[in-house]
Amino acid sequence: MRICARKERGKFSAVDVSVESKLPDVGTTIFTVMSALAQEHGAINLSQGFPDFDGPEPLLDRVQHYFNNGFNQYPPMQGVPTLRTAISGKVADLYGAKVDPDSEVTVTAGATEALFCAIAAVVSAGDEVIVFDPAYDSYDPVIRLQGARAIHIPLEQPSYRPDWQRVEDAITPRTKMIIINSPHNPTGGIWTDTDLAHLEKLVCSHELFVLSDEVYELIIFDGELHQSVCRFGDLYSRSFVVSSFGKTYHVTGWKVGYCVAPPLLTTEFRRIHQFVTFTVNTPVQLGLADFLTDHPEHHLRLPDFYQGKRDYFLSLMKNSRFTFEPSRGTYFQLLNYQAISQESDRDLAERWTKEIGVASIPVSVFYEDQQSSGASVLRFCFAKDDATLERAAEILCNL
Ligand code: PMP
Ligand code: GLN
């Protein structure tokens, strides 16, 4: 890498600076790439996952209140007490688990920071970490930054659940952690209580840690129960459970999430968290705490709210040439375009953004071996106003 740097008597001259990249194969994330392309071409953006509607007004009012009334200095490193207590209450209500707000809950700068800190807390150079493809894009680079190796196991299509024999066969003396994500981005698949029971047995017998990415815990459809790791006592005792307020409260830009983990793991987690971000902005934490406590109906209604969006989007798409299985959770829907085009998903996502004005996310980028992703599918985000979904569907139905 060549950098123009040295300034001598008012003039810059070129100097050679060499940097050995820690992530030489990593480009800009697909979400940033596709959203930028959508913006450049004025396309309807169903790519990066975020709502095109605002968070609930009482929540915005509470945050405004704290902004305007002097709550603008550092909060405690682990998060404000009222928010940690509200999180602990939510975990008890939803999953019947008792987690101590002081020793088991940490507020983070989005789930992204929590994922980083959890991996960095226990994974060391030479370790192996099992991830399931298609895998959310931040897991593998963070594992590699620890000098460890990600072992990618494909989920079984079309259910996108794991083959547990294959998982067991992949465990070696170097395996340190398994990362799971249900409801699953990008497929919309969910894991069952049987899956979690298999996982519990494996991690206890092999003494592994689990990182459970549950950011879509409240976006689950057709009456299914979210199988949080918090429901399984032995499993929880070896786990970091991560969630995000961005998804649940329609405020992805606030970047506030949290990690729930048993005291020993939380201690290690916080050793890292305090030097990554130290803490997360005060007024938003305080506002979220009030809203969680005063308006639990918001998150309790979320499955119906997003199921309505999924069903509306799919009803608009039913006469299209795409084929699909309804998403079972998250605010993403996979659409198979095999009857329309033979192009690669990446090429097609880019071409359609430019030419037809609808942006989506290619799914192959979430596979270690992109050729093996095997399916001609694109991911569409339906966390949008009905009018946005109608405009997008009209275009897609003409293909
Ligand atoms: N995990 C998954 C599976 C996600 O989809 C996302 C983001 N949408 C994150 C983690 C990161 O969440 P946050 O924006 O709170 O950092
Ligand atoms: N998780 C979001 C998605 O899947 C994007 C988050 C990001 O842009 N980093 O679209």
Side-chain angles (χ1 to χ4, degrees):
M1 178 185 284
R2 201 172 154 74
I3 299 181
C4 235
R6 190 137 42 90
K7 197 175 183 192
E8 272 167 17
R9 294 199 193 89
K11 272 188 167 174
F12 282 106
S13 59
V15 288
D16 283 327
V17 176
S18 77
V19 179
E20 196 181 330
S21 175
K22 292 192 169 181
L23 299 170
D25 55 328
V26 165
T28 304
T29 81
I30 192 69
F31 309 115
T32 298
V33 168
M34 293 310 300
S35 272
L37 201 65
Q39 199 163 17
E40 185 186 339
H41 294 275
I44 301 167
N45 190 359
L46 306 191
S47 64
Q48 189 178 27
F50 61 89
D52 69 350
F53 41 86
D54 214 348
E57 224 162 83
L59 170 61
L60 305 182
D61 287 347
R62 288 319 289 161
V63 173
Q64 194 84 48
H65 163 81
Y66 288 111
F67 261 125
N68 292 340
N69 286 280
F71 294 87
N72 295 305
Q73 307 309 327
Y74 291 129
M77 173 276 277
Q78 56 274 54
V80 301
T82 51
L83 183 55
R84 284 184 284 111
T85 300
I87 292 167
S88 164
K90 193 190 88 167
V91 170
D93 291 348
L94 292 176
Y95 310 124
K98 211 167 160 331
V99 298
D100 176 43
D102 291 330
S103 60
E104 297 179 76
V105 181
T106 311
V107 179
T108 57
T112 308
E113 194 227 339
L115 295 171
F116 182 94
C117 295
I119 295 168
V122 294
V123 173
S124 306
D127 287 345
E128 291 174 358
V129 178
I130 292 176
V131 301
F132 296 93
D133 281 359
Y136 186 62
D137 66 346
S138 78
Y139 308 149
D140 184 292
V142 177
I143 293 163
R144 286 194 284 143
L145 283 174
Q146 316 310 316
R149 201 155 79 91
I151 307 297
H152 291 253
I153 299 182
L155 292 169
E156 300 287 299
Q157 291 186 27
S159 70
Y160 292 106
R161 288 176 47 219
D163 172 343
W164 286 105
Q165 189 55 53
R166 205 162 166 178
V167 180
E168 181 150 22
D169 293 346
I171 295 174
T172 74
R174 288 182 298 280
T175 310
K176 183 60 79 66
M177 177 182 254
I178 301 182
I179 302 183
I180 68 169
N181 168 220
S182 175
H184 184 248
N185 180 8
T187 66
I190 57 173
W191 285 20
T192 63
D193 52 350
T194 317
D195 291 319
L196 275 283
H198 273 295
L199 180 70
E200 184 167 56
K201 211 165 127 217
L202 273 189
V203 301
C204 292
S205 59
H206 293 273
E207 299 188 0
L208 308 176
F209 296 110
V210 167
L211 170 52
S212 186
D213 180 345
E214 302 187 12
V215 300
Y216 300 103
E217 61 181 330
L218 287 148
I219 311 183
I220 184 160
F221 311 134
D222 307 316
E224 295 285 353
L225 267 191
H226 169 55
Q227 295 300 335
S228 173
V229 157
C230 294
R231 292 185 191 275
F232 299 77
D234 290 347
L235 183 55
Y236 174 71
S237 67
R238 313 193 62 84
S239 298
F240 300 90
V241 182
V242 166
S243 193
S244 169
F245 293 108
K247 319 289 170 193
T248 305
Y249 299 99
H250 316 316
V251 286
T252 60
W254 286 2
K255 294 294 298 180
V256 184
Y258 63 87
C259 175
V260 172
L264 264 180
L265 294 185
T266 292
T267 300
E268 293 310 313
F269 182 94
R270 289 178 182 168
R271 284 190 214 271
I272 314 267
H273 161 73
Q274 66 184 333
F275 297 122
V276 175
T277 56
F278 175 60
T279 189
V280 180
N281 79 83
T282 308
V284 166
Q285 286 198 55
L286 291 169
L288 280 166
D290 290 353
F291 189 74
L292 252 77
T293 310
D294 297 342
H295 295 280
E297 76 284 356
H298 172 90
H299 67 251
L300 296 174
R301 283 190 200 138
L302 213 58
D304 283 348
F305 173 76
Y306 273 121
Q307 185 172 327
K309 296 240 166 257
R310 177 202 67 176
D311 290 347
Y312 188 52
F313 182 51
L314 291 183
S315 74
L316 295 169
M317 294 299 296
K318 76 174 183 300
N319 294 324
S320 74
R321 293 162 71 208
F322 290 92
T323 55
F324 49 80
E325 285 293 322
S327 169
R328 307 186 71 195
T330 76
Y331 44 48
F332 303 118
Q333 175 64 50
L334 295 186
L335 296 178
N336 184 308
Y337 60 81
Q338 213 158 21
I340 302 170
S341 169
Q342 299 310 306
E343 280 173 81
S344 77
D345 60 349
R346 177 103 201 211
D347 289 350
L348 196 61
E350 288 183 8
R351 187 166 71 75
W352 278 352
T353 304
K354 294 176 192 163
E355 292 179 6
I356 68 167
V358 179
S360 59
I361 294 286
V363 169
S364 62
V365 301
F366 302 106
Y367 284 81
E368 179 185 42
D369 174 7
Q370 300 199 358
Q371 306 307 324
S372 77
S373 69
S376 305
V377 282
L378 294 170
R379 191 199 80 176
F380 294 81
C381 173
F382 55 77
K384 306 292 167 187
D385 280 329
D386 289 353
T388 311
L389 296 176
E390 286 160 14
R391 282 192 297 126
E394 192 182 341
I395 296 169
L396 295 171
C397 285
N398 278 329
L399 290 164

